[in-house]
Amino acid sequence: MLKQEQLKEIKDLQEICEKEGGFHLKLNDDMLENRSADRQEDFFRYEDGKLVAFLGSYGFGNKVELCGMVHPDYRRRGIFSELLEMGLIEAKKHGASTILLNAPTESQSAKDFLKNIPCTFAVAEYQMKWQVTELSDDPSVTVRPSVSKEDWEAEIQLEISGFGFSEKEAREFQQTISETSSEDRLIIEAEGRIAGKMRVSELNGEAWIYGFAIFPELRGKGIGRRALSRVVKMEHQKGLPIFLEVEAKNAHALRLYESCGFRSYHSQDYYLYQN
């Protein structure tokens, strides 16, 4: 568990790097605030008592994403290479079969650094923000908290069908989320049966939607759009700006989000580590 002082140091460094570079770093605030105590996931470098570099490791089943930053005044000194090596060793130690290096699309310094790393471009991801749009309210689709064993099992199956997890990975991920995350786990119902799920994180005055999935046999029926509209309206009534993320290659999801009023404002590039 990171201390509040460490979280503030990370946030302060992030603001400096983003202002200098004109990009947005994806450091997963919710995951940083709910770290597990049984493994090292965060790597720091201090100079004269000041945090000058940080690398965060984020696990999703057998996949690990690594993202970090270096203060502009301390670049080209090999600092980030050292942190990355530590992060890679730790990820491999815990059996990660896929390691993705995350960098803002707009970051030229990240692109220059990655030229010397054995990796290949994998996918781009859009970060989207909701623009106030009139949304329909259809009572045939409901959204409620996940509370039962049946809900738990449905969430696991949706991780498998929606995100390509193996059953073992999905169960481990579900356990981790329930134990360490402050996100609200929600179940989508249509016509009296579980149709899908999503998670909502309310942190730092923002609402983020994650893990949105509908069972394959129920896709294309408008259930996802109606469920998303309902959750967006709930969060909007709380006065929170609403965000989500989607892979650029997922054209269907991108169209769905845009139809509900979401617009892209940043993008992240993911590189598959090859060594």
Side-chain angles (χ1 to χ4, degrees), residues 16-31:
I16 291 171
C17 293
E18 290 180 342
K19 183 177 180 180
E20 185 272 343
F23 50 71
H24 177 75
L25 286 159
K26 183 184 175 184
L27 295 180
N28 299 290
D29 291 348
D30 183 67
M31 296 181 76

Side-chain angles (χ1 to χ4, degrees), residues 1-264:
M1 182 75 70
L2 294 177
K3 299 176 182 177
Q4 286 302 312
E5 179 182 356
Q6 291 174 306
L7 291 169
K8 184 180 184 305
E9 290 174 333
I10 293 169
K11 181 61 66 177
D12 290 346
L13 180 57
Q14 180 179 0
E15 290 177 358
I16 291 171
C17 293
E18 290 180 342
K19 183 177 180 180
E20 185 272 343
F23 50 71
H24 177 75
L25 286 159
K26 183 184 175 184
L27 295 180
N28 299 290
D29 291 348
D30 183 67
M31 296 181 76
L32 288 177
E33 294 203 5
N34 295 278
R35 287 308 209 182
S36 171
D38 63 354
R39 61 192 296 176
Q40 185 177 4
E41 297 174 295
D42 303 295
F43 307 87
F44 299 83
R45 176 66 175 269
Y46 290 88
E47 295 282 348
D48 299 322
K50 179 177 71 174
L51 179 66
V52 299
F54 170 77
L55 176 77
S57 175
Y58 309 95
F60 304 91
N62 69 343
K63 179 180 73 176
V64 167
E65 297 178 4
L66 299 173
C67 182
M69 56 190 170
V70 179
H71 191 289
D73 295 342
Y74 291 83
R75 292 175 185 160
R76 301 186 184 279
R77 302 187 188 183
I79 293 174
F80 196 73
S81 295
E82 294 174 8
L83 294 187
L84 179 59
E85 184 63 25
M86 293 165 64
L88 291 170
I89 290 172
E90 193 69 18
K92 294 173 185 176
K93 183 196 303 183
H94 291 279
S97 60
T98 301
I99 299 176
L100 293 172
L101 310 180
N102 165 228
T105 302
E106 302 92 341
S107 176
Q108 187 58 48
S109 60
K111 286 183 170 64
D112 292 341
F113 175 81
L114 289 168
K115 289 177 182 177
N116 300 310
I117 303 296
C119 63
T120 56
F121 177 79
V123 68
E125 179 184 76
Y126 294 134
Q127 292 166 304
M128 309 184 78
K129 181 178 182 179
W130 185 67
Q131 308 297 317
V132 177
T133 304
E134 177 127 13
L135 297 172
S136 61
D137 192 0
D138 188 337
S140 68
V141 173
T142 59
V143 180
R144 60 169 177 79
S146 175
V147 293
S148 68
K149 183 175 180 181
E150 180 187 9
D151 295 342
W152 177 277
E153 290 299 322
E155 288 179 85
I156 290 171
Q157 295 308 312
L158 283 158
E159 292 290 354
I160 295 170
S161 62
F163 301 103
F165 282 42
S166 69
E167 181 160 347
K168 179 176 182 294
E169 292 164 355
R171 290 190 180 281
E172 291 175 350
F173 181 64
Q174 179 79 349
Q175 192 66 42
T176 299
I177 287 292
S178 66
E179 292 175 351
T180 65
S181 176
S182 59
E183 299 169 349
D184 294 325
R185 296 178 10 250
L186 304 176
I187 293 293
I188 300 165
E189 288 188 329
E191 299 180 357
R193 62 168 286 189
I194 296 175
K197 59 96 178 176
M198 70 177 81
R199 306 191 309 275
V200 178
S201 169
E202 295 177 1
L203 193 65
N204 299 324
E206 299 176 345
W208 281 82
I209 296 172
Y210 298 110
F212 182 26
I214 302 294
F215 279 118
E217 66 272 19
L218 297 177
R219 294 173 191 164
K221 301 177 182 293
I223 295 171
R225 189 180 194 283
R226 284 173 278 176
L228 181 61
S229 297
R230 183 173 290 270
V231 170
V232 166
K233 290 177 72 172
M234 287 166 45
E235 297 303 317
H236 181 55
Q237 288 169 359
K238 298 177 184 179
L240 298 175
I242 306 150
F243 303 85
L244 51 73
E245 298 167 333
V246 59
E247 289 187 354
K249 65 182 181 181
N250 192 340
H252 176 75
L254 185 59
R255 288 195 298 270
L256 166 63
Y257 299 149
E258 288 177 337
S259 74
C260 289
F262 283 89
R263 298 293 179 265
S264 301

